[in-house]
Amino acid sequence: MSKSPKKLHKSSRIRRNRKLFGAVLLVLVVGLFFVFIGRFSYIVSSGKLNNVNLSKKTETKYNRDRRLTAVRGKIYDSNHNIIAEDSNVYNLYAVIDKNHVSTDNKPLYVTNKRKTAKVLSRYIPLSEAKIYAVLNDQKSGAYQVEFGNAGKGLSLEVKKEIDAKNLPGIYFTKSVSRLYPNGNFASNIVGLAQTDNSDSASSGTLTGVMGIENYFNNILTGKNGYRQFKTDSFGYELPNSQTVVKKAVNGSDVTLTLDARLQSYMESVVSEVADTYAPTSMTAILMNAKNGKILAATQRPTFNPSTKVGLNNSWRNALVQDTYEPGSVMKLLSLSASIDSGNYMPNAYYQSGSVNVDGSIIKDWNTSGWGSIPFGQAFARSSNVGFVKMEQQMGAKTWKKYLTNFGIGKKTGINLPGESAGSIAYTRAVDRATTAFGQGVNVTAVQMMQAFSAVANNGKMVKPQIVSEISNSSTGKVQKEKTEVVGHPISKSTATQVRNEMKDVINQTYGTGQSYAIPGYEIGVKTGTAQIASGTGSGYLTGNNNYIFSVVGMAPIDNPKYILYITVRQPQKMTAPAETILSSAFNPILKRALEYSTGASVANVKTSEMPNLTGQSVESAKQTLEDGGLTYSLVGSGNKIVQQLPLAKEHVLSGQRAVLLTNGAMTMPNIKGWSKNDVLKLAEISGIKVKFKGDGYVVKQSVAENQLLNSTSKLTVKLASKN
């Protein structure tokens, strides 16, 4: 029986649809094939997929780069004692989550909190109770806890001691750090380097943020290298694979002109003066007059770079960044200008007391004056009226020329960041008159030292120098800094005559500087008492202590080797006259420098050179000191010396006490019987704050022996005379 036409038509339509579908499918498959071939050809030829370089992607997956970090250069003093160097420190943390266990279910968290707190309290400056409280912090469901500043910056030795106790759940992270073994030591000059985590490229590197560390940051930093190697898909290094290594180039070392022996002594003396009289600020600079090398310099307030105590109040380097009206020490320059310009008439007389300049009355510090006196006494008496008249005799144009030649109003170019240029008010006649005695002119301490050098150095003005040389042990390259003569503002005969008048300040009965005499040495000085602008735009502050008291001295005065300049601003405890405050710092510092220069023993008693104990074991250091006839006291529970006072190579008296900081937890020694100077060493090396009551030797201490100390600790000491 044949199929009906209707069924035949349906069957034909189905076959036709199948052929059409097959044709479409074939075209689609062929099209996709050609697309695939084209895509593959493009990838093969270009090496890219979706704008991603496949070769680089493969390299990224199987090649690894490991950064080889350059070691930051060291900073040395002039005798090659280390002032700053790289070090690793460790930060302590504890895992308290009980789910943190090993593959074999061994606890990797703190299991015995009482025992852990007790052990850790021996090594970090935190009490057992506080450590236990931290370990019991369950409020936030914390996985791990830290111990604040007490658990940060631990040395390798302390880490090893804690590791040896096998405390479950106690771990450390390592970070690079900068070590300042001398503590408070020209801190605002040396500066500070801190870890830079601002971006991934610089993460973990040290960056200088102030002082020499900042100014020479690029030179000190060096250049990081890398090691490139291949890994498998799991990230493990392939054995025998080719590696590419670019060695790191370590940073260069910077040697300063500072002498650690004089610097350490200056820090101790200035600390004592600052503690006694509480000035709002204080500066001291000792410079070699012949070559401009700064041998010691400090300021108050300052900070301890090891503990960071005081840093918040001492970011500025007062010696180069702060400007002020210098007062009567400026008369060294105005007297020089008057003599050198041929206008000085020492035997002519003038009426002292007061003078009228364009309607403004200028008075002597002794407001009633000394009657009619010769100009030859104006300098020693520090008569403002005499110097106003000298400025008028010179004329504004001549005096301005000498100010410019002395470098006033210009930066010295010393290798320290942020130096200020100062300024000169010179519009009105009264402005020009007051600059002759140090008002209406703003200077920096370093700028004044440069100007003083012309007087000390027979007219040859030298640039203050803080860096002695820059060297790189990798390349062997050494760059020595040379003495730079920056001008000859006055003649040799003028300089000699000015220094003779500086002698009169000390030696004449009418001189203002008799307190600064040092027996056995010829000294010349000039004192200063500068008013402080009120800040309201009109007038100056009033009150007995609202001045910047200062003194500059040169010695030996006939052929000066040293210039010492000290300023004390607004002493809050003005329990003594200004000259007593200043001389209590000036005299011992300059005397110590002169004794080093001549080789004389301090106070004509037996002295010896302090050995370098840093890095030695406690037992070895003890033996060394005992053999040298020195007493010692330890601060800390460690077995290695990390800081010492006095510093290495400093001359010390027989029987003098050395204070040694160890690598263990910082603990309080028994200080009964100590001198005030010994306690100041303890404060400097530990960073603690000390308050004194009475005078003499320690009879009572507020912090018990062996109690843990940290940078926030406060110690009150009662002193009394020995029976």
Side-chain angles (χ1 to χ4, degrees), residues 363-500:
K363 296 183 177 181
D364 281 320
W365 63 267
N366 176 12
T367 55
S368 60
W370 303 274
S372 180
I373 59 173
F375 280 99
Q377 292 185 13
F379 185 80
R381 292 186 187 273
S382 200
S383 168
N384 292 343
V385 173
F387 277 84
V388 168
K389 292 183 179 293
M390 280 190 239
E391 184 273 330
Q392 292 172 338
Q393 291 163 359
M394 280 189 286
K397 187 176 180 180
T398 298
W399 173 223
K400 182 64 184 297
K401 181 189 76 171
Y402 278 95
L403 283 172
T404 301
N405 291 346
F406 275 118
I408 304 303
K410 294 186 293 186
K411 296 179 182 180
T412 67
I414 191 172
N415 294 329
L416 288 169
E419 184 182 11
S420 299
S423 61
I424 306 172
Y426 215 70
T427 305
R428 301 175 303 161
V430 68
D431 295 331
R432 298 190 288 271
T434 57
T435 58
F437 57 86
Q439 280 186 203
V441 54
N442 283 284
V443 300
T444 66
V446 166
Q447 195 177 66
M448 292 300 286
M449 292 298 283
Q450 178 174 279
F452 294 150
S453 72
V455 176
N457 211 17
N458 291 329
K460 184 169 64 176
M461 189 165 71
V462 292
K463 175 183 172 180
Q465 182 182 338
I466 191 64
V467 174
S468 176
E469 69 176 39
I470 299 171
S471 59
N472 189 288
S473 57
S474 300
T475 64
K477 184 178 179 181
V478 178
Q479 176 187 332
K480 291 186 178 292
E481 297 294 317
K482 297 180 180 179
T483 299
E484 186 175 346
V485 178
V486 292
H488 295 80
I490 57 176
S491 68
K492 179 179 179 180
S493 60
T494 296
T496 301
Q497 192 171 341
V498 173
R499 293 200 305 271
N500 285 333

Side-chain angles (χ1 to χ4, degrees), residues 9-59:
H9 179 71
K10 182 178 180 181
S11 177
S12 176
R13 190 170 68 248
I14 290 172
R15 283 195 301 274
R16 187 170 62 250
N17 288 344
R18 285 176 178 171
K19 288 179 180 179
L20 180 62
F21 177 77
V24 171
L25 183 61
L26 179 62
V27 170
L28 183 62
V29 169
V30 171
L32 287 173
F33 176 75
F34 279 108
V35 169
F36 174 77
I37 292 297
R39 182 70 166 162
F40 184 74
S41 299
Y42 170 78
I43 291 172
V44 170
S45 62
S46 68
K48 293 183 179 180
L49 176 62
N50 294 330
N51 290 324
V52 176
N53 189 308
L54 296 178
S55 296
K56 290 184 178 180
K57 186 72 173 178
T58 304
E59 281 186 28

Side-chain angles (χ1 to χ4, degrees), residues 588-635:
I589 293 171
L590 188 55
K591 183 181 179 185
R592 178 62 62 94
L594 290 164
E595 287 168 343
Y596 280 141
S597 179
T598 60
S601 298
V602 179
N604 295 319
V605 297
K606 184 180 179 182
T607 66
S608 59
E609 190 175 85
M610 185 70 185
N612 185 359
L613 304 173
T614 305
Q616 290 190 23
S617 68
V618 169
E619 291 305 315
S620 175
K622 284 181 179 179
Q623 190 62 52
T624 300
L625 292 174
E626 288 171 359
D627 291 345
L630 297 172
T631 59
Y632 59 85
S633 293
L634 298 173
V635 181

Side-chain angles (χ1 to χ4, degrees), residues 684-706:
E684 182 176 335
I685 207 167
S686 65
I688 65 173
K689 294 186 179 299
V690 179
K691 181 179 180 181
F692 293 98
K693 293 183 177 180
D695 293 298
Y697 295 84
V698 179
V699 294
K700 189 176 181 181
Q701 60 188 82
S702 64
V703 179
E705 183 180 2
N706 294 325

